[in-house]
Amino acid sequence: MNIPNSSQVKPGIKLVLSCDLGGSQVKAIAQIYPDGIPCVLAMSPEIADVSIDSINSFSVQTFQNISTWVGVGDEYYVLGTIAKEVFAGSAALRDNKYHYAIPKIAGILSMAYQKFGINHNHVDVFIQILLPPGEVNDARNLTTSLKQILKLGVLTPNGRLKGKLRNFCVAAEGSGILTYRSRTLGKTYIQKNVGILMLGYRNASFALSAQGNPAKSESTDLGMSWVINSFVERTAVGLSKNDSRLVTAILAAAKGNFDAFRPLSRKATPEGVQFDLNLFQKVLPSIRDEYCRALVRWIRNIAVLDEILICGGTAEYVKKELTDHFHKEATPIVWNGGVQFPAPLDTKGLGERVADVWTAHITYILMLDKNFAYDRKQDLVPDPNKPRPSIPTSGLAQLREYAKKREAEQPLNS
């Protein structure tokens, strides 16, 4: 049933969580509704299924900020850095993101409970997750399972976590930024074909808005992992695809600095290390060229555009090539959809990588405001050093009118 106002929900903490179950990092915006200041939660994407005995071998203090574990039913999972370093956990890039959605959501919830000091079970939980377009419909089937799990309780390092799932919303990656852009353009948005290209670690996703209407969406495996896999296989000098330092080294090499590859070489002599560096310098440019060609080829076959929004952690790696391509096509690029992530919230140093989940969170909060008949008077992230602006800088003013239109399309379910 719909919840038109807060009188239908018993008093208690309302926790809102917007999650991006990314292939390089799990990112989330958490907030105590309605007036709590949002915060960023993040952990590495690795997950490992383990036994209760393995869990008991660690202290509670071990799982702080960057890792956690959860007990969901009879299954136990370690998530984050410890999953990778101790249990050989993987980011499960071959699986759909929703496959491990429940333990990852439970892990982020555990971190949110700890962050906000929630130590009781009278919590109403509102969850939004972003997934590639091809996985959205399957993930909606998670609602019933999540309700049951939160009712029974999830075991965590800080005890049994319980809550009542009041709403579970699944949105396509890029939807937050597209919505933000629609409000920025105003009436001209419905006169354009606007595409959004999301370049992540696991995959690349594209969505098209044709004259204001969702037209098509596609995903491909052309994420940064494609570059990593090709580089490791072609160099064949014992590098590991799971070594997180590879991404940093490849990004540095794109700017002409190959020194970050030195610690990755497994050679025992300076001559051997130099041999590897020479090999890396020879192989990487051709791999990058092949990746860019494949990406452009894929985009060219999707749609003719008036404007393209480009975002995601991998976008910076191929920024020049994409700029050159769309310049030739006379297609304007709006990097990150013009979104400016509030600096006070950037406690994890993720910057533009949280642009999509941040704008999706804004839209979700506005939907809740409408359903609870809450008249929001100030910005989500108020600046204590400045007087309150008449137009909130977080994008709330730009999106409030949009939220009114979408409220009927996304009612809350109890």
Side-chain angles (χ1 to χ4, degrees), residues 187-255:
K187 294 181 180 180
T188 62
Y189 184 75
I190 62 174
Q191 301 170 2
K192 294 174 175 283
N193 286 347
V194 179
I196 181 166
L197 176 63
M198 296 279 296
L199 297 178
Y201 183 83
R202 191 190 74 157
N203 58 17
S205 296
F206 177 86
L208 173 66
S209 172
Q211 283 79 50
N213 299 306
K216 63 172 65 177
S217 59
E218 294 187 20
S219 295
T220 177
D221 61 359
L222 291 173
M224 178 58 78
S225 60
W226 189 96
V227 176
I228 298 292
N229 292 341
S230 298
F231 183 70
V232 169
E233 292 170 3
R234 201 168 302 182
T235 54
V237 290
L239 298 177
S240 171
K241 298 176 183 178
N242 297 319
D243 193 330
S244 59
R245 297 174 298 173
L246 264 178
V247 174
T248 301
I250 287 176
L251 292 176
K255 299 178 181 179

Side-chain angles (χ1 to χ4, degrees), residues 73-95:
D74 296 327
E75 303 293 332
Y76 292 84
Y77 302 88
V78 176
L79 303 102
T81 302
I82 293 178
K84 175 183 178 181
E85 296 180 352
V86 178
F87 298 104
S90 75
L93 297 180
R94 292 183 179 274
D95 296 312

Side-chain angles (χ1 to χ4, degrees), residues 30-47:
Q31 178 181 355
I32 300 297
Y33 184 86
D35 295 322
I37 296 177
C39 71
V40 176
L41 302 174
M43 63 181 174
S44 63
E46 288 79 18
I47 185 170

Side-chain angles (χ1 to χ4, degrees), residues 56 136 203 215:
N56 290 334
V136 169
N203 58 17

